[in-house]
């Protein structure tokens, strides 16, 4: 049956890691640890609303940022399995010139390069004008963005007078095809390609192909799908680090206020994640993300074939990463002292988190928090809690105890 004392100690350590994250300034955190046989641990800490002192609980859902890219990647890999596109097909085969016009390297980039962030296409997320209008001082929080609108910010090869800002503000140096350069634009294009091939909204395809087969009932694309919880608000207030770096890079939206007790944060709850769409627009729950992670790990035929998993797991090194890191087709692989983990981090306005699974052990982890980190430099981050040494060590011990018991 295993030693209850060992379980209690490990559970307490995991909870303490969350509490430590809160002590570093993250308002609220939720975590889930799961194996193929069930939940190993679930916990939460902190506040869903600082101003009213409302506690965050196990039912809350969060923006997951770029973890959303895993859903998009799986959809594309399924389309490859169905021979509706090929890994070496170019973007120009599926999208019209007016969509690609002026965007460096867009037409010649391949599906594989989009998935692995080696296309050389700049990210709209790095454009100074977009940063101000998408997350900062010029943001319209109520705006639901169109799926192609972010592309207008990176038509850097347009040189007429109307596009002068492109010449003046293009981030340099430019990304180069064949070299790893993380870009949200890659996944905006994958969403548009999915729609061009299937004739259906990309979010509908991801729902039919991934969410419904796995029964992920707490997950949806904000702004493009209905909230599955219309009678109760399960999204906590969304905060963002508002340090000098954020204020200099993005500026603060006039409609966002700072809590009286937390002048280092802004409350961005009037905003939404629609601008991110297939690059980062999902709202989800740690338990749903663990189900997804375990399905990929086990090569669950409901969502991924052996050929697709092999393609997803074709990794290359990411130069300059803080810890040894590799990128595959839609996921990352990090080699740490506690083991090798595969998955994805995410951060958007108001939220940050992680979803990873172990290469060696039957276990998946997700930690999500209600404070965003983008454009704020090195700040407390839910992803760092989940990938922290003590947290990972305890997770791996739990998994091994469970494995020995079985």
């Amino acid at each position: 049956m295993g030693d209850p004392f060992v379980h209690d100690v490990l559970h307490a350590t995991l909870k303490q890691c969350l509490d430590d994250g809160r002590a570093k300034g993250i308002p609220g955190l939720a975590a889930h640890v799961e194996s193929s046989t069930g939940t190993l641990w679930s916990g939460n800490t902190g506040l869903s609303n600082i101003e009213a002192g409302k506690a965050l609980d196990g039912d809350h859902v969060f923006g997951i940022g770029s973890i959303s890219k895993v859903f998009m990647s799986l959809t594309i890999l399924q389309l490859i399995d169905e021979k509706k596109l090929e890994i070496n097909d170019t973007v120009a085969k599926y999208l019209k010139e007016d969509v690609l016009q002026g965007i460096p390297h867009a037409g010649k980039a391949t599906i594989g390069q989009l998935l692995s962030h080696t296309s050389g296409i700049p990210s709209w997320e790095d454009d100074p004008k977009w940063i101000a209008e998408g997350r900062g001082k010029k943001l319209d929080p109520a705006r639901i963005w169109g799926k192609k609108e972010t592309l207008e910010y990176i038509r850097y090869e347009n040189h007429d007078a109307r596009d002068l800002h492109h010449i003046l503000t293009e981030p340099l140096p430019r990304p180069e095809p064949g070299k790893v350069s993380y870009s949200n634009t890659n996944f905006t294009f994958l969403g548009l390609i999915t729609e061009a091939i299937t004739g259906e909204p990309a979010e509908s395809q991801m729902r039919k192909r991934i969410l419904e087969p796995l029964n992920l009932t707490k997950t949806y694309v904000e702004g493009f799908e209905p909230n599955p919880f219309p009678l109760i608000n399960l999204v906590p207030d969304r905060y963002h680090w508002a340090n000098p770096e954020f204020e200099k890079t993005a500026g603060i939206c006039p409609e966002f206020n700072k809590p009286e007790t937390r002048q280092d944060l802004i409350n961005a709850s009037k905003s939404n994640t629609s601008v991110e769409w297939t690059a980062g627009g999902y709202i989800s729950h740690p338990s749903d993300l663990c189900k997804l992670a375990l399905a990929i790990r086990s090569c669950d035929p409901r969502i991924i074939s052996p050929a697709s998993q092999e393609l997803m797991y074709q990794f290359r090194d990411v130069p300059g990463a803080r810890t040894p890191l590799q990128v595959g087709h839609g996921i990352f692989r990090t080699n740490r002292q506690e083991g090798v983990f595969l998955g994805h981090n995410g951060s958007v306005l108001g939220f940050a988190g992680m979803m990873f699974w172990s290469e060696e052990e039957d276990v998946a982890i997700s930690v999500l928090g209600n404070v965003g980190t983008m454009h704020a430099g090195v700040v407390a981050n839910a992803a760092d809690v989940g990938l922290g040494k003590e947290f990972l060590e305890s997770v791996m011990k739990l998994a091994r105890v469970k494995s020995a018991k079985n």
Side-chain angles (χ1 to χ4, degrees):
M1 295 293 292
D3 187 341
F5 176 76
V6 172
H7 283 87
D8 289 347
V9 169
L10 293 174
H11 292 174
T13 301
L14 292 171
K15 177 61 164 60
Q16 186 60 53
C17 289
L18 296 189
D19 291 339
D20 290 346
R22 184 187 178 193
K24 292 177 181 177
I26 301 171
L29 288 155
H32 192 80
V33 182
E34 188 165 332
S35 75
S36 60
T37 58
T39 298
L40 299 182
W41 180 78
S42 190
N44 53 270
T45 192
L47 300 175
S48 68
N49 178 282
I50 295 172
E51 293 86 343
K54 292 182 179 178
L56 187 138
D57 61 39
D59 292 327
H60 279 107
V61 294
F62 303 77
I64 64 170
S66 288
I67 303 170
S68 305
K69 291 179 171 71
V70 180
F71 294 91
M72 186 73 265
S73 301
L74 288 166
T75 299
I76 290 293
L77 291 172
Q78 286 188 21
L79 291 171
I80 291 173
D81 276 346
E82 296 163 8
K83 302 192 184 307
K84 293 179 179 176
L85 78 165
E86 296 182 3
I87 194 74
N88 292 321
D89 284 348
T90 63
V91 175
K93 181 175 179 178
Y94 300 99
L95 301 182
K96 295 180 180 179
E97 174 58 28
D98 65 323
V99 177
L100 308 178
Q101 194 268 328
I103 300 176
H105 310 301
K108 294 181 179 180
T110 67
I111 301 299
Q113 288 177 325
L114 298 181
L115 287 168
S116 62
H117 296 287
T118 56
S119 67
I121 299 172
S123 180
W124 44 260
E125 187 178 46
D126 296 333
D127 181 81
K129 188 170 187 284
W130 180 85
I131 292 171
E133 295 180 3
R135 293 193 181 126
K137 59 189 175 183
K138 295 184 179 180
L139 171 68
D140 174 3
R143 176 181 177 182
I144 301 298
W145 288 65
K147 296 175 178 179
K148 300 176 185 176
E149 287 186 279
T150 53
L151 301 180
E152 298 307 315
Y153 292 87
I154 54 168
R155 300 191 189 280
Y156 297 133
E157 293 179 347
N158 286 351
H159 295 309
D160 59 35
R162 294 171 301 165
D163 297 296
L164 182 60
H165 84 272
H166 289 151
I167 302 172
L168 299 177
T169 65
E170 179 185 2
L172 297 173
R174 279 187 173 186
E176 297 179 33
K179 295 185 178 180
V180 177
S181 181
Y182 192 87
S183 175
N184 274 359
T185 313
N186 292 326
F187 280 76
T188 302
F189 280 142
L190 289 171
L192 295 173
I193 289 168
T194 297
E195 295 192 339
I197 290 171
T198 66
E200 294 183 7
E203 59 273 15
S204 299
Q205 282 286 306
M206 292 187 289
R207 178 161 295 279
K208 288 193 292 189
R209 292 171 177 273
I210 315 300
L211 274 63
E212 290 177 356
L214 296 180
N215 195 30
L216 305 184
T217 60
K218 302 175 182 178
T219 303
Y220 64 101
V221 182
E222 189 173 50
F224 297 97
E225 293 186 300
N227 182 343
F229 318 107
L231 301 180
I232 182 171
N233 181 21
L234 294 182
V235 180
D237 275 34
R238 42 191 98 187
Y239 298 93
H240 205 91
W241 287 105
N243 57 14
E245 184 167 343
F246 180 83
E247 293 196 31
K248 178 182 178 181
T249 305
I252 295 177
C253 171
E255 295 191 44
F256 295 164
N257 297 315
K258 295 182 176 181
E260 288 186 11
T261 59
R262 289 296 305 273
Q263 291 294 295
D264 53 345
L265 302 179
I266 50 174
N267 188 323
S269 298
K270 293 180 180 179
S271 66
N272 61 79
T273 62
S274 64
V275 66
E276 310 281 344
W277 189 41
T278 49
Y282 268 109
I283 303 289
S284 191
H285 188 275
S287 63
D288 270 11
L289 295 181
C290 283
K291 288 180 184 177
L292 175 67
L294 290 169
I296 299 172
R297 184 184 187 278
S298 66
C299 202
D300 189 324
R302 291 176 296 175
I303 66 162
I304 188 168
S305 69
S308 286
Q309 190 194 60
E310 182 179 353
L311 192 56
M312 179 175 265
Y313 284 17
Q314 290 180 358
F315 293 105
R316 66 170 68 200
D317 291 336
V318 177
R322 286 187 296 170
T323 57
L325 186 67
Q326 296 177 308
V327 61
H329 289 108
I331 61 170
F332 289 83
R333 183 177 185 267
T334 179
N335 191 342
R336 295 170 179 259
Q337 185 177 344
E338 303 75 31
V340 178
F341 298 90
L342 291 75
H344 218 296
N345 287 340
S347 184
V348 289
L349 185 65
F351 298 107
M354 55 80 80
M355 174 200 76
F356 278 81
W357 60 96
S358 168
E359 190 170 80
E360 301 98 336
E361 299 291 339
D362 173 23
V363 66
I365 319 152
S366 179
V367 179
L368 303 176
N370 63 335
V371 64
T373 63
M374 297 303 300
H375 319 302
V378 180
V379 288
N381 185 336
D384 291 338
V385 173
L387 289 169
K389 177 178 175 59
E390 196 169 15
F391 195 92
L392 288 179
E393 283 181 347
S394 298
V395 165
M396 296 299 279
K397 288 176 183 177
L398 263 183
R400 290 174 185 131
V401 169
K402 181 69 173 179
S403 177
K405 175 183 172 182
N406 292 338

